[in-house]
Amino acid sequence: MLCSELMKRDVERCLDSSLVTEAASAMRDRNIGFLPVTTEDATAVGTITDRDLALRVLAARRAPDRTTVGDVMTHGVVTCSPDDELSLAEDLMSRFQKARIVCTD
């Protein structure tokens, strides 16, 4: 089975320069807990999760209206290709201890 058979195609993303409140709103509105983070030119630079927001913003008592996604995101992205076998994605998730990875083309 290929990654393209399971991956989500209409993926929400956020900018590293966005406020965390924007990321949280996007997660709420789409009922998701994970967003790839990109620069203005759509280069993937990291990820942010609902857990990141809870721990790195709320628990750390940062001001959400002044904290950017880039301040609290997880840097680096584990990726696979739509044409990769699903077993490769599983291996990457296991090797890097990730519950989610980004499928890019």
Side-chain angles (χ1 to χ4, degrees):
M1 179 180 276
L2 298 178
C3 291
S4 61
E5 297 176 56
L6 280 181
M7 69 184 204
K8 291 185 178 181
R9 296 186 184 279
D10 182 27
V11 177
E12 182 79 23
R13 67 181 174 98
C14 64
L15 298 175
D16 57 350
S17 59
S18 297
L19 292 175
V20 294
T21 53
E22 295 172 64
S25 293
M27 288 182 193
R28 179 201 60 214
D29 294 348
R30 303 257 334 239
N31 194 30
I32 55 176
F34 171 88
L35 291 171
V37 179
T38 68
T39 58
E40 291 282 344
D41 67 355
T43 302
V45 293
T47 61
I48 191 158
T49 65
D50 47 4
R51 189 171 198 280
D52 293 332
L53 296 174
L55 298 179
R56 297 176 183 170
V57 179
L58 297 176
R61 298 180 183 256
R62 290 178 177 248
D65 59 338
R66 292 191 309 268
T67 303
T68 68
V69 170
D71 292 334
V72 296
M73 71 182 192
T74 299
H75 292 269
V77 183
V78 178
T79 64
C80 64
S81 166
D83 297 327
D84 288 337
E85 289 288 334
L86 191 56
S87 59
L88 174 66
E90 292 170 334
D91 179 59
L92 290 169
M93 293 170 76
S94 176
R95 188 173 349 140
F96 292 98
Q97 298 181 343
K98 300 290 182 186
R100 306 167 183 115
I101 62 174
V102 179
C103 195
T104 61
D105 58 0

